[in-house]
Amino acid sequence: MANSQRRITKELAEVTSDPPAGVTVSLANESNVHEWNIMMDGPPGTPYAGGKFKLLLVLPTDYPFKAPTLNFKTKIWHPNVTFDEKGSMCLGMLKGDVWKPSSKIMSILTAAQQLLVEPNPDDAVEASIAQKFKEDKAGFIKEAQEYTKKYAN
Amino acid sequence: MSMYANVPSQPWLSSPPTFSRRTTTTSPPLSPASPTSPTRSGRLRGLSYLRTYTQQHLLSRESNSHSSSNSRPNLGGRATSYPSPSSSNRASAPRSPLSPVIPPSPTQATPNRTTSPTAQRSTTELSPPDSIAPTSGWLPTVGGQSGVSRIGTEPQSTVADAPSALLSSNATSSGITPDLSASMARTRSETAGGATDISRNETQDDMSQSANAASNANGNATSQLPSIRFIQHQDPRAQRPSLAFSPMARILPTGKETIKVGRYSEREAQPVQPVNVPSAAPVGFKSKVVSRRHCEFWCAQGKWYIKDVKSSSGTFLNHIRLSSPNTESRPFPINDGDIVQLGIDFKGGEEMIFRCVKIRVELNKGWQNGPTSFNVASHKRLREMMANQSKAGGNGTSQDCSICLGPIQPCQSLFVAPCSHTWHYKCIRTIINGPHWPHFQCPNCRMVADLEADLDDVAMDGEWEDYKASETDEPVVPPAAVNRAERQSSTVATNGSENTESMLAAVLSANSNHTTEQPAEQADIDSEVPSDDYDAGIEETAEEFENLHIHGSAESESSTVLTSAHTTTRPVDIVRKQNSSAVSNGVGSGSISGPGRSCTPSPVAIDGMGPMTPRNDIGPFVFDGTAGRIAASTGTGHSAMNLDSAASVPQAIPESSIET
């Protein structure tokens, strides 16, 4: 798996040297390049603004042939993220049949950010939140802000 | 001397019934010499065929010959004794003229031989076989056997002694003797065959030219460091596999180092280095049958040598043991593609740790990995292709491999999908060989390709044809490549040529009368000796390739005659002549200085091709036969040269690509 390690270190260097705005990346464990800690600021103009979200990116051993997984370690109230300890995120490009080895981690991070800006209620993992997002936008924003204050500080 | 030459030639010609055909064929070149040249192309093709055949079967043959070791000693004895029956005087006399020529002969001999021993031996007595031996699969058996027996059974002393004696008999050549004896020590045959060939072939002008080329070449040679690569060899006939190891390469930092080969030990374990960094680190094999100090490789004047350093279980060069247990062997020259075996399977070789090591050595191939006009051009084409592709709507990221994100560069193994996306083969392999085989989904664009699809089904519309045509217009053989080839060949040639030159000149003047006759004589001799050894199967093949064989033998033995034929019958442009002379010199000197290098790039490189691998100068994506056209344009001129080289350089296959 030397091959995957080389690619991962390459991507890590790329992301750390030129990260997307509001994102910082570090290794969860210096000896293991397969687990990345990601600190993501809530994008401004969203109910998550001002919050700092911690995510864990796990790269499989056969990366890039298998998609990585991205989990919110900080609880976030969002239609596409499970509102539990796991914080599983439903990101289209990370699905097994959509993932392409040519996709890069940089694009995953920007996609995650984009998902915070534009939730996708049609492909939600938290149906109640999605329903609220669709039917009561103001209420959704307010509630999301509250949870952001509560957990993401 | 003239008397000697005449006397032997006649009786021998008539005597061997089996080879009468051959002898007759050879003889015409001697007198008119012209007939050979016109037929060249056809013969060349045959030669190429022979060569490929050799490649496929030579190794196995050798193993066969090895197994039938009983016959060998006899052959060797026979071969050596052969001249004597006629009468010691007679035998020595015909040879003596040849002997002065010796220096050039080494060139030819060394490049020729796939197996060093064979070639050396062959030159002496069976000049035709040895020249051909490398090329043709069937001859090697004979040559190999005799060579084996010779080298294996007979120490050098015989060889060395004989030539010196011969020389002494020659009043003219006496001055040359010391040099000759040194060179001859290795092989008497070389002297006889090669020396005669060169001396006769070349006029003094040619020789001077070649000398110049050689000297020029030397300067260039230093820039290229000698390199050696150890590749696992699996004998297809072996009962069980030999020790498995991954290829190891060494590039001598200064060219003076000795590479020690022995049992791998953790203590001396070398940190893994990139292959392209010069290093003379010891090479270790994890096998109990390998002694801690087993053998050594070194390079002198472009030629690689091997020596057993008191190994207990032996070092085998092309199946011939170099020394008895725990004794040090003399240096043996090795050639690209030789098989070196360390030790013998122990306890039946059941366990990996008890298996012998079989190595295929690759010598001085560094130039193949450097940027050449060919690989740079094809890479450029590839980049353009990918650029177009990404413009067309792919993800316009880059020409990097999307798997490892590394750049795609020349000299990498690549995989190009039908959608023109390209990756390193190593990177994409998991997808190619994945569960969906033979269906391949491009990880970039998701286009699915059937990798087992019939290649003829690809629809060709007119547009694509046009594109192809325009593509092929580019010059196929870039000047740089040619230059390099010339340079290399010249480098190879340098050492031997100067010494040889003067000697040759002397020889020529002395022998000028006999030149025509002697080659025929030799051919006869050669043919006779091997005839006994042939088995029925070989004979059949021999008949099939009779023309080739004759031609080859003529080339090798009486190269003088042939060359003269070229020059006289066909107008040859000067450039070509220079090349050929350089080649021949290079070959001859190569035996002395460094056959490995000489044989590798020199002769064939002129055509823009590598020694071992047929090279498609047009690039991987054009298969419209332009290569053949190019060869045709340049080929006629070079074909003669190629033949020479073909005879001398057994392993070069490239002709086949040219011809077809």
Side-chain angles (χ1 to χ4, degrees), chain A residues 7 10 65 98-100 102, chain B residues 402-403 406 427 430 443-444 446:
Chain A
R7 162 155 175 167
K10 209 163 197 163
F65 299 106
V98 184
W99 168 253
K100 297 196 292 184
S102 54
Chain B
S402 66
I403 304 295
C427 299
T430 38
N444 293 24
R446 301 204 170 281

Side-chain angles (χ1 to χ4, degrees), chain B residues 28 176 206 288 372 585:
Chain B
I176 307 167
D206 289 331
K288 297 274 190 198
T372 65
N585 278 348

Side-chain angles (χ1 to χ4, degrees), chain B residues 472-535:
Chain B
T472 51
D473 289 341
E474 300 181 20
V476 180
V477 183
V482 177
N483 289 341
R484 201 175 20 119
E486 286 182 351
R487 211 201 308 147
Q488 286 182 343
S489 64
S490 59
T491 25
V492 178
T494 31
N495 293 337
S497 58
E498 285 135 9
N499 297 341
T500 327
E501 236 61 45
S502 57
M503 294 171 50
L504 283 181
V507 174
L508 281 180
S509 59
N511 292 346
S512 57
N513 298 337
H514 322 286
T515 42
T516 34
E517 295 157 358
Q518 283 186 349
E521 198 187 293
Q522 277 198 344
D524 296 348
I525 297 175
D526 294 333
S527 60
E528 278 189 6
V529 177
S531 64
D532 300 341
D533 303 344
Y534 291 147
D535 55 27

